[in-house]
Structures are given as structure tokens and as C-alpha cells.
Amino acid sequence: MLDGSFVNAVAEREEIRIPAGDASLAGELDIPEGSPSVIVFAHGSGGGRSSPRNRFVSSVLRDQGFGTLLFDLLTPEEGEIDVHTAHLRFDIGFLAERLERATAWLLAERPRIAPIGFFGASTGAAAALVTAARIPGDVGAIVSRGGRPALAGAFLDAVRAPVLLIVGGADPAILRENESALDALRGEKRLHVVPEATHLFEEPGALEEVAREAGSWFLRHLRH
């Protein structure tokens, strides 16, 4: 049973490729020995698995015994296009389809770790919520960091997994959006505001608070 003091004994760590239709998505799967569940990270831009913020949070979650899957929702070619157009990162249906395919791949490869958790950032948080609404039996908990949950639209009403929304107190537009999304969610939910933090949580101690709150949420809802 996990208690937050789990020693990060890594049983397997591998570079993986996730088939997604005509695309192949690069990722890193890291599962500590005895891990009961895996947290899948979803970031709206092309470099999701290289995000230093996601990598920091994932390391904290592994220290608590969770496996992690960091992968790119966009291929390098798509990412290059999106740098100039920014349209793919806001195509929530497209991102959710990619996340659903990655989830299906993970559960086929590691069926014993279901249900899984989603950690979504920016528009990846909206994709995580849409995916959770589509496959409710496979998703046990969701955490959003500085996310755009309102972009999930009508799918918010269908999300049944417990949702934690984490927002910086100095990020007023995103805070308002998350407050609106919180009202639309029907399952267990909570909004956590990190005081004085801006959108990227670059202030001293801010990202540590994000990781701490995320870990507590996943420990509570994914503990087998």
C-alpha cells in the first residue's frame, strides 16, 4: 500500500512508440516496482514529454510509487506546424483522440495497472477531461495544472472521475475559466489555488506545491 514514502525502485523504464493511426508518438514509460497505477501526462503542445514542469511532477509521483507515461500528443512534424499556427494544440477533439489511443495502448500493454490517472496541462487538460468522459471505466482520477478545462465543453458534465484543478493565484483569466469548469463538473471535484503563482508556476515553491497536491489526489483516488 502506498504511503507517500515509497522508495523509487524502478522495475522498468523504456522509450516507447505509441501507434496513433498514421502517426507514431514518442514517449517514456517509467514504472516503479509494485506500482498499482500509471499517471499519463497530456500536454497540448508538441514537446509534452520534454516539458521540465511535467518531468518534475512525474519524478515526484514516481517517488510515491506511481508509474508515469510522458509522451508527445503531436509528432515532430505536427509540432513544427503548430509552432506557427497554434491550431493543433487547440483542437481538443484531435488531442483527445490521441490521448485515448495512448491510453488504449497502455492498458493493452499493462492491463493490471487500470484504472489510470491523467495529469493534464494547458489544453492537454481539456483533452484529458474529454477522454475521461469517453472511457470512464479506465480513468480513476484527473489533475489539471494551469489547464483550459472549459475547452472540454459539454463533456465536462459526463466526467465521472474525481478532478483536481490547480491554478495560479496570479493567473486571473485561467482562474476564472477553472472556476466556471468547476461548476460544470458533476463528480467529485476541487479547485486548488497556488497563491501568487503565475501560469507556468515558476515562482519559488509553486511547482513543488503542484506536485504535492497532485500526489495527494492520486494517492487518495488510485490507491488499490
Side-chain angles (χ1 to χ4, degrees), residues 178-208:
N178 277 258
E179 289 171 338
S180 174
L182 189 74
D183 289 339
L185 289 165
R186 295 290 173 258
E188 183 176 351
K189 57 190 177 180
R190 185 163 71 87
L191 173 65
H192 180 84
V193 179
V194 180
E196 301 182 5
T198 52
H199 187 61
L200 296 180
F201 299 90
E202 296 175 310
E203 294 71 24
L207 197 58
E208 287 81 358

Side-chain angles (χ1 to χ4, degrees), residues 108-151:
E109 293 289 322
R110 305 289 188 276
R112 293 184 179 182
I113 52 86
I116 63 172
F118 283 157
F119 184 94
S122 189
T123 56
L129 290 162
V130 171
T131 304
R134 290 175 175 171
I135 52 171
D138 295 329
V139 183
I142 303 167
V143 174
S144 164
R145 170 184 64 81
R148 303 293 309 277
L151 296 178

Side-chain angles (χ1 to χ4, degrees), residues 16 18 65 74 79 81-82 87 100 142 144 158 165 180-181:
I16 52 96
I18 300 171
L74 305 180
I81 295 172
D82 195 60
H87 75 285
E100 188 171 349
I142 303 167
S144 164
L165 305 173
S180 174

